[in-house]
Amino acid sequence: MSELPEPEWRVSAGLIPYDAALAEMEARAAAIVAHQAREQIWLLEHPPVYTAGTSADPAELVDPRFPVMPAGRGGRYTYHGPGQRVGYLMLDLNERGRDVRCFVHGVEGWVIAALATLGLDAFRAPGRVGIWTLDRDGREAKIGAIGVRVRRWVTLHGFSVNVSPDLSHFGGIVPCGLPDYPVTSLAALGRSTTMTAFDDALAATKAGFLQTLSCQT
C-alpha cells in the first residue's frame, strides 16, 4: 500500500451546534468519496445534546432535558456537551483497508494510547464497545464512547472522551444502553487537564492509529 497523505487535522474553538457539525461532516465525507477533498480528523465540542444512534431504545431516554437529535451512527443514546472532546473521523477505508471492525478497534486503541500519555490507564472491555477505566471506587466506568458509520467506505462520526464535562448531564439517558456501568471523566478521576493537552496527546499518538487501519492486509 502506497503512503497516503496525512488527513487534515482540524480543531474548532467554542461550541459547535450538533446539527451544523453533522451537515458539515456529511458534506466532507461525500467530497472524499468523490475525490474532491482530503480526509479529515475534526476535534470539537458541542452544546449539551442527546444523540440517538440507529439502535436507540426510547425507554432509555429517561429525562430529555436537552435537545434529542438523530445521529445516523451506530449505537444507542449518547450525551455530548462542554468539557467533552468529540472527534469526527472522515477517513477513506477504500485506501486504508475495508475492515470496519479493524477501524473501530483502532479508534479504541488510539484513545487508550492518548489517555496513557496523560497518566490514565484505560482499556477495552470484551463485549462493550468504548473506552473504559476504573473509577475511584474501583468500578469499571466508561470514559469514552465510540460510534461510527461507514458510507461507501468513508467513515463518519468517531469518538467522544470525557475530559471535564458535567457528569450529571448523563443522567437523562441510559448511556449507550449500559445501565450497570457508570460514566467518568479525567477530571472526576483527579487527572485534571486542558482540552489542548488532550488534543496534543491525540496528535502524538495519531500515526500509530493510522498505521493500524491496514491490519487486514
Side-chain angles (χ1 to χ4, degrees):
M1 181 181 294
S2 60
E3 186 172 347
L4 297 172
E6 279 283 308
E8 177 189 354
W9 183 262
R10 177 184 178 188
V11 182
S12 291
L15 301 178
I16 309 300
Y18 186 78
D19 54 350
L22 195 64
E24 191 166 345
M25 174 181 59
E26 291 184 343
R28 182 60 173 252
I32 293 168
V33 168
H35 305 290
Q36 295 174 346
R38 286 169 60 194
E39 297 174 301
Q40 186 182 75
I41 296 173
W42 184 16
L43 304 181
L44 66 156
E45 292 176 81
H46 290 304
V49 62
Y50 296 129
T51 70
T54 54
S55 301
D57 181 347
E60 294 171 354
L61 183 61
V62 180
D63 175 16
R65 68 189 80 165
F66 303 120
V68 181
M69 306 195 69
R73 56 162 173 78
R76 296 166 94 156
Y77 284 108
T78 299
Y79 166 77
H80 295 311
Q84 182 191 74
R85 177 50 90 212
V86 174
Y88 289 139
L89 312 177
M90 288 141 279
L91 301 177
D92 189 353
L93 299 189
N94 289 294
E95 300 293 335
R96 297 189 178 274
R98 292 186 176 191
D99 189 325
V100 177
R101 184 171 295 183
C102 175
F103 173 70
V104 172
H105 192 266
V107 175
E108 290 174 335
W110 180 24
V111 174
I112 289 168
L115 291 171
T117 71
L118 299 174
L120 183 71
D121 182 19
F123 50 87
R124 299 179 181 89
R128 287 181 263 132
V129 174
I131 314 302
W132 300 82
T133 190
L134 298 181
D135 68 11
R136 290 180 179 271
D137 297 320
R139 301 172 299 176
E140 289 189 4
K142 196 166 193 176
I143 194 167
I146 307 289
V148 303
R149 183 176 183 180
V150 179
R151 184 184 297 151
R152 298 182 65 181
W153 291 108
V154 171
T155 65
L156 300 99
H157 301 276
F159 65 83
S160 60
V161 176
N162 300 328
V163 177
S164 58
D166 184 338
L167 294 179
S168 72
H169 290 178
F170 285 88
I173 57 172
V174 177
C176 302
L178 297 171
D180 298 327
Y181 297 93
V183 293
T184 191
S185 67
L186 283 161
L189 295 171
R191 304 279 183 173
S192 296
T193 190
T194 65
M195 198 67 76
T196 298
F198 182 62
D199 293 347
D200 290 344
L202 288 169
T205 51
K206 169 173 60 74
F209 158 61
L210 294 174
Q211 289 171 2
T212 67
L213 299 188
S214 60
C215 62
Q216 91 295 345
T217 61

